Amino acid sequence: MSLLRAVNLTKTFAIGSRPVEALRGVSIELPENSFTFVVGPSGSGKSTFMHLAGALERPTSGTIEVAGRDLGALSDDELSDFRREKLGFVFQAFNLIPNLNAVENVLVPFYAKGLAEGMREKAKEMLKRVGLGDRLDHRPRQLSGGEQQRVAIARALLKDPLLLLADEPTGELDSKTGAEIFALMRSLHREKGASVVVVTHDTRYIEPADRVIRIEDGRIVEEK
Amino acid sequence: MLRFALLNILTRPLRSFLALVGVAVAIAGVVGLISVSSGLKNTMTDTLDKVEGLVMIEANSVDPIFSSLPISYANRVEKIPGVAACVPEYWKVAPNVEGQKTLMGMFSAVVVLGLDPERHTRLSAGHVYSRSMKRGRNIEGQDAGKRRVVVSERIAKKYGKDVGGSIKVGELLYEIVGVYQTGSLFLDGTLVMHLDQAWAFAGISGKDVVTSFYVEPKVQSKEEMARIEKAIEDEFSKDPKKVDCLSTAEWQSEFGKLISNLDVFLVVVSSIAVIVGAIGILNTMLMSVTERIPEFGILKANGWSRGDVTRLVLVESTYLGIAGGLLGCSVGVAGVQIAARFMPFAPATPPSLVATAFGVGVVLGILGGVYPARHAAGLSPVEAIRAA
Ligand SMILES: Nc1ncnc2c1ncn2[C@@H]1O[C@H](COP(=O)(O)OP(=O)(O)OP(=O)(O)O)[C@@H](O)[C@H]1O
Ligand SMILES: [Mg+2]
C-alpha cells in the first residue's frame, strides 16, 4: 500500500486579482517506508507540496491521500488530530516555542490534550537519542540552530510518525551540522520505519535507494 | 496547558501587570464606590427607622432650620383626633463649636435642638434622642434656665468631652449632662438643650416661636399618618402661617429619589470602569497574540486544533482577570477600610459584593480574551510560521 498518493493536485494563491499557480497538477505515489527528496528551483512549489502533504493547507483541486486517508474529506479538527498523531515536521528555522524548554517542546503536540503517563520520561529519552541529554531544560534561545533542529526531530520521534516532513531542515546550518541532521533523519527512517519527505537544495545527502522528485514551475518534471 | 498559559503570562511581566492593574483599578473603584454608597444608604434608612412620627414645619420652608411657627399651634394639633402628642422643637445651626467651624465637612455640621421636657412626657414612644441615651441623663424640666446640653457620642469624641465636662457652643459654655447615640449619621450631629436655652442661643427673647413640631399619631400606620397629615394641613389652611407635614414615608421617597440617582451614577461609573478594564485586557492579549503568531503556527502544525489554541489564549486572559480581580478586591477592601477611619459612617462591604466584583474580574478576563483567541485560532499554520 502506498503511504502518500496525490492525484492532479493544484494549488492557486490569489494575490490581489492575479492568481499564482503554485502547483499545476501534481500526481505522485510514495510507498511506505520511503525516503524522498523534493528538489527544484526556488519558487517552484516544493514547500507548497509539502504543506499539502502535511495537511497544513488544503489543495485548490485534486486529491491527496496519506496512509489511506483522503485529507480533503477530513474536518479541520480531524486534520489536527492526524498531524498530532501521525506526522512530524521540521521547518527551516522556527520550530520551537520560545517559552518552553527542550523537554516541553518535545511534548508540545500533547500539551493541549493532556500528557499520558511516562511521556515526559520518553521525551527525555528522545532528546538523549538526538544527543541533547545535557540540554533538557534549555530554552530555544539557549540552543544552537542545529540543536534546535534536533529538538524538532526528537519531537517527531516521540510519536513514531508515519511521515516526517522536513522543509529545508539544514538550510541555515553549516555542512557538518547539516550532515548530522540528515543522519538523524536516516536513523528515524531506518529504526522506526517512518517515511521521510525532505525538501532541500542539498543533493549531497541523496543515497541510491532514495526517491527524488524534481519540481519545476508547479509540475513534477522528473521522478526516480 | 494551564502551566504553559501561566508561563506565557509571566514571560511579559510588565505588560501583564499593567493589564491586571487596569482590571484591578476598575474592580477596586467599583468595590469602593458601592461600599460607600451602601454605607450611606444604611445610614439613611437607619435615620428613617428612628423617626416614626410626622414633622410639621412652616409651608414651603423645606427644612425645620428655615421654618418658624407660633408655639400655640401645638395645642390645636393635639385636638385633632388620632394625634397622641404634638411637641415643639427649636432648631438652630451651630456654626462654631469649641472655636472650630462646623460647616466645613458634609457630615460635621452641628445643630442645636431645643426641647420642652414637660411636653415630651406626653410622647408614648419618647423622642428619638431620649430613647438613645448612653450615659448621664436627658434634658429635664429642672434644666430650664440652665446652660446644659446632651451631646452625641460623636460630638463627645470629636471634641474630647464627656458627661460632667463643658462644651463651648458659639460664645457660650454649656455643661454636658448626658451623651446619646442614635447611630444615624444625620441625627447624631445634634446638641439637645432646654427650649428656653435654644431661644437664648438663637438670641430671641419672645417665648412663642418655634421652628417645627414633632407629631406622634396614636396608631402607627401609613393610612393613619396620611389622614392626620391631611387633617393638620387643613386645620391651618386659613391661618396666615400655613404648615407642611412631612411623614417618614415622604422623607423616604425623597431619599429614594436620591438613592436611585446614586444607583444610576454607580451603574454608569462601574460600567465605564469595567469597559476600560476589558479594553486593557483585550489590548494586552491582542499584542501578545500578534507577537506570537509564529508560535501558534508551530502549535497548529503539531496538532493543536482551533479549540486548543482558543482555550490557551482564553486561559491566559482569564489568569489576568483572576489576578486583576484578586488585586482589585484586596485593594478595594483595604482602601474602604482605610477610608472608613476618616468617614463619619461605616461603609458596607458585604462578602457578596467582593465575590461579585471578583467574578466581574474573571468575566472581564474571559471577554477580553475572546477576540484575540479567535484571531489566534483562525491563523493558517503555514502563514503563521512564515511570519517568523
Ligand atoms: N501564501 C501564499 N500566497 C501567495 N503566493 C504564494 C503563497 N505561498 C507560496 N506562494 C507562491 O507560490 C509559489 C511556490 O511557492 P513555494 O513556497 O512552494 O516555493 P518553493 O519551491 O518552496 O521555493 P523555495 O525553494 O524558495 O522555498 C511561489 O511563486 C510563491 O510566491
Ligand atoms: Mg520553500
Side-chain angles (χ1 to χ4, degrees), chain B residues 168-192:
Chain B
K168 195 171 156 209
V169 187
E171 294 304 310
L172 302 171
L173 214 53
Y174 293 83
E175 182 194 347
I176 298 173
V177 297
V179 175
Y180 72 86
Q181 185 174 34
T182 66
S184 154
L185 176 59
F186 299 102
L187 298 177
D188 277 358
T190 307
L191 295 164
V192 186

Side-chain angles (χ1 to χ4, degrees), chain B residues 122-377:
Chain B
R122 298 190 206 179
L123 294 172
S124 63
H127 198 268
V128 56
Y129 296 109
S130 50
R131 271 185 283 129
S132 313
M133 292 306 294
K134 282 193 80 180
R135 293 190 293 283
R137 60 167 178 84
N138 258 310
I139 291 293
E140 295 164 0
Q142 52 155 317
D143 296 319
K146 308 260 167 58
R147 287 215 199 104
R148 290 173 181 163
V149 284
V150 170
V151 301
S152 68
E153 184 78 299
R154 188 171 95 213
I155 293 175
K157 275 224 182 77
K158 179 168 177 189
Y159 296 101
K161 304 289 181 182
D162 211 332
V163 176
S166 58
I167 187 163
K168 195 171 156 209
V169 187
E171 294 304 310
L172 302 171
L173 214 53
Y174 293 83
E175 182 194 347
I176 298 173
V177 297
V179 175
Y180 72 86
Q181 185 174 34
T182 66
S184 154
L185 176 59
F186 299 102
L187 298 177
D188 277 358
T190 307
L191 295 164
V192 186
M193 55 179 73
H194 196 281
L195 185 55
D196 65 8
Q197 286 305 305
W199 280 324
F201 176 76
I204 38 179
S205 46
K207 300 213 163 195
D208 51 0
V209 171
V210 292
T211 57
S212 50
F213 298 85
Y214 175 68
V215 181
E216 190 186 79
K218 282 187 179 133
V219 181
Q220 289 275 349
S221 81
K222 245 196 175 130
E223 298 73 38
E224 182 64 2
M225 294 270 236
R227 192 190 63 72
I228 293 176
E229 192 182 329
K230 179 90 181 31
I232 292 175
E233 283 172 7
D234 287 349
E235 166 75 22
F236 299 102
S237 62
K238 302 234 161 45
D239 288 79
K241 283 225 170 186
K242 297 179 187 46
V243 302
D244 272 344
C245 273
L246 298 172
S247 66
T248 318
E250 278 169 317
W251 286 111
Q252 217 134 29
S253 78
E254 285 298 310
F255 281 133
K257 272 183 228 156
L258 194 78
I259 285 172
S260 62
N261 284 342
L262 195 66
D263 282 343
V264 170
F265 170 75
L266 283 179
V267 166
V268 170
V269 171
S270 306
S271 315
I272 292 173
V274 161
I275 290 169
V276 170
I279 290 176
I281 290 198
L282 177 68
N283 180 48
T284 298
M285 290 311 298
L286 261 184
M287 262 164 74
S288 152
V289 161
T290 313
E291 268 174 18
R292 292 190 288 152
I293 283 177
E295 280 183 48
F296 293 114
I298 293 296
L299 293 177
K300 294 191 89 172
N302 279 286
W304 283 49
S305 66
R306 269 170 170 274
D308 296 333
V309 174
T310 307
R311 241 167 281 137
L312 175 68
V313 177
L314 280 181
V315 168
E316 290 176 17
S317 70
T318 307
Y319 278 149
L320 289 180
I322 291 175
L326 283 179
L327 183 65
C329 285
S330 333
V331 170
V333 169
V336 165
Q337 237 129 56
I338 292 169
R341 293 198 203 148
F342 306 100
M343 287 195 292
F345 62 94
T349 316
S352 63
L353 170 62
V354 179
T356 311
F358 176 68
V360 168
V362 177
V363 171
L364 277 187
I366 297 172
L367 286 183
V370 170
Y371 176 72
R374 294 177 127 251
H375 179 68

Side-chain angles (χ1 to χ4, degrees), chain A residues 17 31 55 93 105 117 128 135 165 202 218:
Chain A
S17 55
N105 262 293
E117 211 177 320
K128 282 177 197 145
R135 297 276 192 282
L165 294 153
D202 255 333

